[in-house]
Amino acid sequence: MRIFLKSIDYNIWKIILNGPDVPTKQNADGEVVKKEDNEWTEEEKKKVELNSKAINLMHCAISFEEYRKVSKCKTAKEIWDKLRLNHEGTKQVRETRIDMLMKEYEMFNMKEEESIDQMFERFSIIINNLDAMGKSYSEETLVRKT
């Protein structure tokens, strides 16, 4: 989904990661407060629209089951964080998954009745899962492993 969102507009991806850019101002007491809609500049309106576009894109890209989990979220960042937690788990769960995948990678061998294609598919799944969790290997290392 990252590539999909970045390809539409990189600024949408930044809104998803950092949260919406809500226009603010200083009031008479020197406090920073949210601007009213009618006070927004054209540039501020465009930045606020990015959050709505990001929400719309993510709603269109996910299944109905996942949509039900995030439908109450108000910002694209909230949706992303909830989806990420649902798919990757907490930091501790994520580290455990990485450890398990690394062990699978290290112990990887061709099975007796397995074709080259089946072996390569199994290897690709391990590598792709590791990559999705932020652990990647150089092509050189992967070629030597297979």
Side-chain angles (χ1 to χ4, degrees):
M1 185 181 291
R2 285 182 182 115
I3 298 301
F4 170 69
L5 294 165
K6 286 179 183 179
S7 72
I8 301 296
D9 186 340
Y10 189 76
N11 289 320
I12 286 177
W13 179 243
K14 288 181 1 187
I15 291 293
I16 291 169
L17 289 182
N18 303 323
D21 194 357
V22 180
T24 57
K25 65 179 182 180
Q26 271 192 327
N27 66 12
D29 299 332
E31 295 176 86
V32 175
V33 293
K34 234 171 108 172
K35 280 186 180 180
E36 295 296 321
D37 297 4
N38 60 353
E39 298 176 299
W40 294 352
T41 65
E42 285 303 312
E43 187 177 324
E44 289 171 333
K45 284 179 189 176
K46 286 181 182 176
K47 287 181 180 179
V48 170
E49 286 173 356
L50 285 176
N51 185 60
S52 296
K53 287 180 182 180
I55 291 170
N56 185 46
L57 284 168
M58 287 194 285
H59 283 176
C60 291
I62 60 177
S63 67
F64 182 71
E65 289 78 27
E66 292 201 331
Y67 171 76
R68 289 191 308 206
K69 295 175 189 174
V70 299
S71 63
K72 299 253 189 254
C73 295
K74 301 287 185 228
T75 68
K77 180 170 178 40
E78 285 179 64
I79 293 171
W80 183 257
D81 291 344
K82 189 169 267 192
L83 289 172
R84 191 168 183 202
L85 184 63
N86 284 331
H87 287 273
E88 293 179 4
T90 62
K91 186 177 181 182
Q92 191 174 21
V93 169
R94 187 175 179 193
E95 288 172 1
T96 302
R97 284 185 184 166
I98 290 171
D99 289 344
M100 289 171 40
L101 287 166
M102 287 182 64
K103 184 170 183 164
E104 240 183 288
Y105 169 80
E106 290 166 6
M107 304 294 285
F108 184 82
N109 281 317
M110 186 172 184
K111 294 180 179 176
E112 258 185 58
E113 294 153 14
E114 188 174 45
S115 71
I116 297 290
D117 288 341
Q118 291 169 328
M119 178 198 76
F120 186 72
E121 182 178 342
R122 203 166 46 85
F123 186 72
S124 294
I125 290 169
I126 295 168
I127 296 308
N128 290 339
N129 286 336
L130 277 168
D131 192 50
M133 300 297 266
K135 183 75 176 163
S136 56
Y137 294 93
S138 69
E139 282 296 318
E140 205 173 272
T141 305
L142 296 176
V143 168
R144 273 189 270 152
K145 183 66 179 173
T146 54

